[in-house]
């Protein structure tokens, strides 16, 4: 190999390592949003107020590539007794399947703690301004492998009747799917 080829090979390796280091630095310095980032946003989200009575939702699930793989309609019947609430969710999926999830939620200051039959342990969330970030581990149904996946769930109150929801599902830190739902209070 002539000296010019050796030099070009060294430069290419250096460029590759420099590029990788730069990407790591940029992604490492980027901070994820926090509920406090929305502290000044209005209207203020209080799950007890929004999720009272009946709420309808329409949404979809995207796979890792961004392709929409399922669509859904969900009806939620919501009741509260002080700071303790029940959200009774009935899903109708585009593939004809139905699903039920009943959340038991407790408000503690700006924090929410919840449980449901397919949630491992407790879900915890923090509200600030018009936003709520909710984190939990969900056990998928047997037909989807019964895997336990991490759910990073965000809600933003748009107006008194409209709520946007985005959930990123991960396993081992790798994005598995994204769920988007738009709720409308009756």
């Amino acid at each position: 190999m002539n000296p010019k080829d050796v030099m070009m090979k060294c430069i290419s390796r250096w460029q590759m390592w420099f590029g990788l280091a730069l990407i790591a630095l940029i992604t490492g310095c980027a901070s994820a949003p926090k509920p406090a980032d929305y502290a000044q946003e209005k209207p203020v989200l209080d799950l007890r107020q929004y999720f009272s009575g009946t709420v309808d939702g329409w949404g979809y699930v995207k796979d890792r590539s961004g392709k929409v793989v399922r669509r859904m309609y969900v009806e939620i019947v919501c009741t509260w007794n002080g700071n303790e609430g029940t959200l009774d969710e009935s899903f109708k999926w585009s593939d004809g399947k139905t699903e039920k999830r009943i959340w038991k939620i407790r408000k503690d200051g700006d924090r929410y703690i919840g449980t449901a039959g397919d949630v491992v342990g407790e879900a915890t969330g923090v509200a600030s301004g018009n936003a709520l970030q909710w984190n939990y581990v969900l056990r998928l149904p047997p037909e989807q492998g019964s895997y336990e996946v991490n759910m990073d769930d965000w809600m933003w109150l748009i107006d008194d009747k409209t709520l946007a929801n985005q959930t990123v599902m991960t396993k081992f830190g790798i994005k598995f799917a994204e769920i988007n739902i738009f709720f409308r209070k009756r």
Side-chain angles (χ1 to χ4, degrees), residues 3 15 17 19 25 40 47 64-65 79 99 111 117 121 124 130 133 151-152 156 160-162 175:
Q15 287 173 328
W17 286 112
L25 179 65
Q40 302 306 313
L47 293 187
R64 289 183 341 157
S65 73
T79 56
E99 184 179 343
R111 302 187 73 73
T124 58
N130 74 331
Q133 183 183 24
M151 307 294 276
D152 183 17
W156 299 274
D160 291 340
K161 293 198 174 276
T162 311
K175 183 177 176 180

Side-chain angles (χ1 to χ4, degrees), residues 45 47 50-51 55-62 72 74 76 87 89 91 93 101 103 130-136 151-158 162-168 178-184:
L45 175 58
L47 293 187
Y50 186 80
F51 286 107
V55 176
D56 297 296
W58 300 265
Y60 54 91
V61 179
K62 295 191 311 185
M72 93 220 13
V74 59
I76 309 173
L87 278 59
E89 302 176 328
F91 292 86
W93 292 92
R101 179 175 296 117
W103 282 100
N130 74 331
L132 173 107
Q133 183 183 24
W134 188 240
N135 289 287
Y136 55 97
M151 307 294 276
D152 183 17
D153 196 346
W154 279 88
M155 297 178 192
W156 299 274
L157 188 58
I158 306 303
T162 311
L163 182 78
N165 178 225
Q166 179 182 32
T167 306
V168 175
E178 181 179 309
I179 304 160
N180 292 279
I181 307 174
F182 302 92
F183 294 106
R184 188 80 178 154

Side-chain angles (χ1 to χ4, degrees), residues 106-155:
R106 185 177 80 251
K107 182 175 178 17
D108 182 16
D110 63 350
R111 302 187 73 73
Y112 291 89
I113 297 103
T115 59
D118 54 356
V119 171
V120 178
E122 291 183 330
T124 58
V126 176
S128 184
N130 74 331
L132 173 107
Q133 183 183 24
W134 188 240
N135 289 287
Y136 55 97
V137 175
L138 181 73
R139 184 178 300 107
L140 297 176
E143 62 270 14
Q144 293 177 351
S146 298
Y147 298 109
E148 293 181 2
V149 293
N150 298 308
M151 307 294 276
D152 183 17
D153 196 346
W154 279 88
M155 297 178 192

Side-chain angles (χ1 to χ4, degrees), residues 18-88:
F18 179 76
L20 289 173
L22 186 60
I23 290 169
L25 179 65
I26 290 170
T27 58
C29 292
S31 64
K34 308 175 283 308
D37 295 339
Y38 301 94
Q40 302 306 313
E41 296 295 324
K42 303 279 188 265
V44 172
L45 175 58
D46 181 337
L47 293 187
R48 294 172 306 172
Q49 291 175 357
Y50 186 80
F51 286 107
S52 65
T54 302
V55 176
D56 297 296
W58 300 265
Y60 54 91
V61 179
K62 295 191 311 185
D63 66 13
R64 289 183 341 157
S65 73
K67 179 182 177 187
V68 173
V69 293
R70 288 179 94 188
R71 296 172 320 281
M72 93 220 13
Y73 163 76
V74 59
E75 179 182 71
I76 309 173
V77 178
C78 316
T79 56
W80 288 85
N81 183 9
N83 286 334
E84 309 253 331
T86 301
L87 278 59
D88 188 339

